[in-house]
Amino acid sequence: MIHPIPPGTRDILPDEMRELRRLHLALIEVFESRGYGEVATPAIEYDEVLARGDGRTADSAYRFFDESGDLLALRSDMTVPIARLVASRYTDAEPPLRFCYLANAFRAVRPQRGQMREFAQAGVELIGAPAPAGTVEVIEVLEAALDAAGLDRAVIGLGDADLFRQLLADLGVEGDTRETILSRLATHDLVGLEAELARAGIDAEDVGTCVALSQLRGGREVLDEARKLGGDAVQRATARLGETYEALEERGAAERVRVDLGLLRDLGYYSGAILEVYDPALGHVLGGGGRYDGLLERFGVDLPAAGFALYLERVHVAQTEEESRRRDTS
Amino acid sequence: MSVEVAGAASVKPDGPLKLAAPRGALLGGTLNALEAAGVDTTAVRSESRALIFPGEKITLVTMRPSDVPTYVEAGAADVGITGKDVLLEQADRMVYELLDLGYGRCRMVLAGRKGDERLGESQRRLGMMRIATKYPRVAERYFESTGRQVETIEVKGSVELAPLIGLADGIVDLVATGRTLEENDLEVREEIVECTARFVANRVAHKLRAREIDELTAKLREVTAR
């Protein structure tokens, strides 16, 4: 007799579980060896507490009442719970604080899209280490994690969450119009972006600059090209990115990093550097992260922070693909 | 001439770029634009039965326009061309819309029977219209944004039939010349949006094959701007 489970959830059988476990261990080993202590937090929290992190993302898809009528929610990531944990339990600790996790998170899915309602994330949070040093450290941990997973072709996109927000403010675009334009950028709808910028009364030259900026991605030459496009906001963002990139270069860790000025993640709490991870073996993003210097403040602790999360199942698929590719070519 | 699709949903940083091309009304314009951009399209023009046409730099994969976002989102195709109508209906697909190619121009409209006041009458009397369409999500968004309630009825075939035999008060459909409407005694009541062919890219391919995709975008921009 077949008893269904909800779409977007799954059972994992022993063969896959063994491989996933190996990947778990390899990743946690990397994190621990760099001083990131593993933590676990409850999968259910008070909705009110999660919502503090970010109205939009912490707006969990799954909310319910407990026996005393309190509103509970399933976490949609680990960044917000760890911010909560730091604010409540590490108030007197000397920063920086380093934590890692391997945990399941829960999000809503769109039907028939192969999206997961419950998925495992492996990641780190570095709290109390400002840019650029903190960002560089997080990127290096991410690189070590990708190496441990055997994803030698994986690429890390490095962008700046504030670039377009500030650029639009400099152009005098605020409020709803700005949010609409940012959402066009986040989905990379360039045709819609051009139309919205024109509608906001921005002259053709600045529209051209915005579109051209969003398409700049590559090595350090991207920063020079961006500087040429001008504007205060661009100079500030390229200076921030330049600092991070140069520090990575000095440490010999810039090879798999691509500067990407069009990168925007749709999670509301990011500020400054943002990261995304790609591998040629998979058409989907493997993970992401960045800085969220304002997040801890919402929990009453004013500390800068950065981190990343990898989707464990996707990393596993990419790992399998890469292994079979290496077998084929050797 | 057809070959197997290797490694579905993987973005190969080497080998030819896979481009999902729409069969049907957009195919002619698509092949003309690609040819002008320097892509060899003779095989597609001659062999209409094959689905995959390998090339040195670009492999063309032909499919229904409404499947293009599916293949591109998954990374099975690196880039693709499809109509804005398809992108609007599948607005939740994560594909990058890089360029308006300008051809395949048509209008998404609300149409009803000539001289029939049912569209207005239903709204006034019942507070609800019944609309038949192949684009339920576009239709729902449009009526929601104009503050009207509708019941959308999704149909797969000739939408024009629906108001003629009383399935719906009106239709939301794509109109190029308007001849089909005319022949069925229907008329355009409201224009919703103008649609043209768009060039789209997979999110990961856009990062990992940046140079090739930028080059192709620039060439297509040049040839379609004329």
Side-chain angles (χ1 to χ4, degrees), chain B residues 49-66:
Chain B
R49 299 292 287 276
L51 300 174
I52 305 176
F53 304 90
E56 195 186 321
K57 281 185 166 167
I58 292 182
T59 288
L60 295 177
V61 188
T62 59
M63 60 186 70
R64 275 175 74 126
S66 57

Side-chain angles (χ1 to χ4, degrees), chain A residues 220-277:
Chain A
R220 69 163 21 256
E221 74 282 357
V222 163
L223 295 169
D224 300 327
E225 283 170 45
R227 273 185 213 110
K228 273 185 233 145
L229 288 169
D232 267 2
V234 179
Q235 303 304 338
R236 285 200 298 270
T238 47
R240 282 193 298 267
L241 282 169
E243 268 184 333
T244 308
Y245 193 79
E246 273 156 28
L248 284 166
E249 269 182 332
E250 269 168 36
R251 302 172 64 89
E255 202 185 315
R256 55 171 25 163
V257 176
R258 304 268 169 88
V259 179
D260 183 351
L261 296 187
L263 191 57
L264 262 191
R265 290 175 66 73
D266 46 9
L267 298 180
Y269 50 63
Y270 286 104
S271 61
I274 34 177
L275 307 169
E276 263 185 1
V277 185

Side-chain angles (χ1 to χ4, degrees), chain A residues 10 74 82-83 104 127 142 160 166 171 204 228 242 293 325:
Chain A
R10 66 194 196 112
L74 281 174
I82 288 179
N104 286 7
I127 289 149
L142 176 54
D160 190 283
Q166 291 173 355
L171 291 170
K228 273 185 233 145
D293 292 333
R325 182 185 62 92

Side-chain angles (χ1 to χ4, degrees), chain A residues 110 112-113 115 153-155 186-192 194 211 214-215 217 258 260 262-265 276-285 321, chain B residues 7-14 72-75 84 92-100 198 202-211 213-214 221:
Chain A
R110 300 189 200 103
Q112 297 187 6
R113 298 285 298 281
Q115 292 176 336
R153 298 193 299 166
V155 165
T187 55
H188 245 80
D189 171 3
L190 298 188
V191 180
E194 257 181 80
V211 175
S214 75
Q215 293 307 291
R217 55 211 192 283
R258 304 268 169 88
D260 183 351
L263 191 57
L264 262 191
R265 290 175 66 73
E276 263 185 1
V277 185
Y278 320 100
D279 188 275
L282 205 70
H284 291 285
V285 173
E321 287 277 327
Chain B
S10 77
V11 181
K12 301 261 181 314
D14 33 16
V72 173
E73 183 190 45
K84 182 65 181 173
D92 53 354
R93 293 245 176 242
M94 261 310 290
V95 297
Y96 285 179
E97 186 180 329
L98 299 181
L99 188 63
D100 183 347
R198 305 292 162 98
N202 171 264
R203 208 172 155 192
V204 173
H206 185 255
K207 313 293 180 195
L208 297 185
R209 310 193 66 162
R211 187 172 308 151
I213 292 179
D214 285 353
R221 184 189 295 275

